[in-house]
């Protein structure tokens, strides 16, 4: 595998003076190593593996080391990822007795010596070490291996899939698209003012339209159970980097009431209405495919009936039955999205399944 920056000069074209590689027609190469470090830090820092099961408490604490090379090549719009990296994680664990007294605290590492694009469809080898090899230390180490391995490998697969889609290159392209959209919005400002004036002339007709949209709405109610603390679930739902990790798409999340939110590469936008840390999230949501002016309300209640078990009660109200294109599966698709693209992905990526 050629190293970053050592590709065939016949294909790697010098940057234009205006910084443009039109339609990515020429071969462009982007170093993804620093981006990968940030990506893994977001996914694998302070991740709970066990939280009291069999009186064991284990978590991945940090990324200790990420070495090697990772890059994305693009030719004629085709994404060609390349990488050979090694990853070392730090972890800590504790065993307690039935009364909650600490028996032993240990630290260790998880080593993944070889993650390569040549084996992208295979899980890499993983080794767990611990500094205390006594009987209790070995018990904690074995639990870290059996419970932590699938959790860590799932996050590695998230990174591999993100690389296959362009990694940081995709994010840069999305930011460019947003800039273009903002320019278009400015250019259409005069037209918007004209439309507003026309709306004043015929307010009654507009009011009738709004009522019809409201009448054609339904509510979604779901109750989901997770193996985690309520505060951890709240942090995931309100942290844009974690959203990027488990949805593999861009997210922007304000942590203030009244602040703006955006999910799934801008397909969903809205604002925070009410926030109670570890307990409640209320947000206005709007999908880009909905009719103009249509908004829904998302209410997520987090309950922790016992330590380490969280119940999420979702109520999504005022979801329109049809979108602007006449598709009548909006409610069904929205409910499926909550189950498959949000709740199930959180279970898979963060290991919160029950």
């Amino acid at each position: 595998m050629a190293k970053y920056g050592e590709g065939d000069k016949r294909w790697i074209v010098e940057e234009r003076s205006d910084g443009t590689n039109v339609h990515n027609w020429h071969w462009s190469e982007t170093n993804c190593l620093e981006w990968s470090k940030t990506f893994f830090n977001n996914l694998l820092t302070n991740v709970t593996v066990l939280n009291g099961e069999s009186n064991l408490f284990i978590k991945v604490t940090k990324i200790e080391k990420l070495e090697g090379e990772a890059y994305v090549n693009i030719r004629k719009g085709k994404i060609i990822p390349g990488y050979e990296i090694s990853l070392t994680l730090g972890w800590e664990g504790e065993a307690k007795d039935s009364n909650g007294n600490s028996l032993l605290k240990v630290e260790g590492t998880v080593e993944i010596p070889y993650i390569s694009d040549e084996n992208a469809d295979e899980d890499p080898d993983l080794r767990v070490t611990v500094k205390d090899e006594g009987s209790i230390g070995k018990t904690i180490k074995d639990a870290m291996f059996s419970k932590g391995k699938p959790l860590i490998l799932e996050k590695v697969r998230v990174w591999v899939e993100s690389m296959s889609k362009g990694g940081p290159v995709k994010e840069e392209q999305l930011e460019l698209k947003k800039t273009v959209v903002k320019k278009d919005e400015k250019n259409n400002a005069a037209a918007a003012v004209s439309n507003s004036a026309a709306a004043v002339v015929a307010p009654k007709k507009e009011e009738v339209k709004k009522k019809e949209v409201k009448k054609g709405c339904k509510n979604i109610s779901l109750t989901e159970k997770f193996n985690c603390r309520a505060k951890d679930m709240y942090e995931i739902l309100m942290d844009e980097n974690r959203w990027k990790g488990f949805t593999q798409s861009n997210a922007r999340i304000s942590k203030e009431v009244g602040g703006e939110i955006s999910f799934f590469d801008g397909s969903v936008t809205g604002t925070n209405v009410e926030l109670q840390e570890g307990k409640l999230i209320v947000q206005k949501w709007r999908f880009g495919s909905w009719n103009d002016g249509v908004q829904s309300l998302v209410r997520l209640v987090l309950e922790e009936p016992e330590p380490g078990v969280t119940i999420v009660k979702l109520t999504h109200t005022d979801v329109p039955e049809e979108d602007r294109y006449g598709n009548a599966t909006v409610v069904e698709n929205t409910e499926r999205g909550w189950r498959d693209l949000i709740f199930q992905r959180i279970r898979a990526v963060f290991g919160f399944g029950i």
Side-chain angles (χ1 to χ4, degrees):
M1 183 177 71
K3 293 184 178 180
Y4 171 74
E6 295 183 2
D8 193 324
K9 294 297 183 181
R10 293 172 298 174
W11 295 102
I12 301 178
V13 178
E14 296 291 333
E15 291 186 3
R16 286 172 37 153
S17 59
D18 62 1
T20 304
N21 179 4
V22 181
H23 301 307
N24 288 314
W25 181 258
H26 302 303
W27 187 286
S28 65
E29 189 169 85
T30 302
N31 191 336
C32 302
L33 193 60
E34 289 303 317
W35 173 85
S36 297
K37 290 178 180 178
T38 301
F39 194 97
F40 278 118
N41 264 313
N42 291 334
L43 285 183
L44 285 166
T45 298
N46 293 323
V47 175
T48 300
V49 176
L50 286 175
N51 193 31
E53 297 83 346
S54 302
N55 293 322
L56 297 178
F57 299 81
I58 303 174
K59 70 176 180 178
V60 179
T61 55
K62 61 182 178 179
I63 307 296
E64 291 195 347
K65 188 165 53 176
L66 190 152
E67 296 179 330
E69 51 189 19
Y71 55 84
V72 168
N73 290 324
I74 297 183
R75 166 66 172 163
K76 296 183 180 179
K78 183 179 180 181
I79 297 170
I80 308 169
Y83 48 87
E84 286 183 359
I85 63 170
S86 62
L87 180 64
T88 303
L89 312 173
W91 68 276
E92 61 184 32
E94 181 179 13
K96 295 184 178 181
D97 62 20
S98 57
N99 295 320
N101 300 313
S102 180
L103 299 175
L104 179 68
K105 292 183 178 180
V106 298
E107 295 180 348
T109 62
V110 176
E111 298 176 1
I112 307 178
Y114 189 67
I115 305 173
S116 170
D117 60 278
E118 296 175 356
N119 308 106
D121 57 344
E122 302 174 9
D123 285 334
D125 292 332
L126 181 149
R127 297 195 296 262
V128 177
T129 65
V130 68
K131 294 179 181 179
D132 188 319
E133 286 286 0
S135 60
I136 298 178
K138 186 176 184 304
T139 298
I140 300 174
K141 173 187 172 183
D142 291 344
M144 175 61 193
F145 184 83
S146 62
K147 297 294 185 180
K149 179 180 178 180
L151 173 62
I152 293 169
L153 291 182
E154 175 63 30
K155 297 179 189 299
V156 171
R157 287 192 288 271
V158 170
W159 177 79
V160 168
E161 187 169 349
S162 184
M163 283 290 290
S164 72
K165 294 179 178 179
V169 179
K170 177 187 175 185
E171 294 179 1
E172 290 167 4
Q173 290 173 344
L174 288 169
E175 289 300 322
L176 180 60
K177 288 180 182 178
K178 288 180 181 179
T179 302
V180 172
V181 169
K182 286 181 179 179
K183 287 182 179 178
D184 289 342
E185 288 174 351
K186 288 182 179 179
N187 293 335
N188 292 331
V193 171
S194 176
N195 290 338
S196 297
V200 172
V201 176
K204 292 183 178 180
K205 187 175 181 180
E206 188 65 26
E207 288 171 8
V208 171
K209 285 185 178 180
K210 287 183 178 180
K211 287 181 180 179
E212 289 176 354
V213 172
K214 196 74 173 180
K215 188 180 292 184
C217 293
K218 287 189 176 180
N219 298 339
I220 297 171
S221 295
L222 296 173
T223 300
E224 301 285 334
K225 191 175 183 181
F226 297 87
N227 186 17
C228 67
R229 302 302 298 264
K231 64 180 182 65
D232 295 330
M233 178 59 68
Y234 181 89
E235 289 174 2
I236 288 172
L237 293 170
M238 290 300 297
D239 184 275
E240 61 186 41
N241 289 319
R242 288 185 171 94
W243 264 87
K244 290 178 184 178
F246 74 79
T247 65
Q248 300 168 45
S249 61
N250 271 355
R252 294 288 183 270
I253 304 175
S254 168
K255 297 185 179 181
E256 304 294 330
V257 172
E260 295 184 353
I261 56 175
S262 172
F263 308 113
F264 299 108
D265 294 332
S267 295
V268 176
T269 56
T271 55
N272 293 320
V273 176
E274 184 178 356
L275 300 173
Q276 295 180 27
E277 188 168 353
K279 296 180 180 180
L280 177 67
I281 299 171
V282 181
Q283 297 170 328
K284 288 182 180 179
W285 276 37
R286 169 178 164 72
F287 288 72
S289 59
W290 292 359
N291 286 313
D292 293 341
V294 178
Q295 285 192 332
S296 62
L297 190 70
V298 168
R299 184 180 181 87
L300 291 158
V301 178
L302 312 181
E303 298 177 352
E304 192 171 345
E306 58 182 281
V309 175
T310 295
I311 305 297
V312 178
K313 294 181 178 179
L314 163 73
T315 306
H316 194 163
T317 58
D318 297 335
V319 179
E321 294 182 284
E322 290 189 0
D323 62 16
R324 67 170 74 233
Y325 308 108
N327 297 316
T329 58
V330 175
V331 177
E332 177 186 342
N333 291 341
T334 303
E335 182 171 342
R336 186 186 302 116
W338 275 107
R339 290 187 187 279
D340 298 344
L341 303 181
I342 298 178
F343 293 140
Q344 284 300 104
R345 290 298 297 167
I346 288 175
R347 288 190 178 94
V349 172
F350 298 100
F352 292 165
I354 290 183

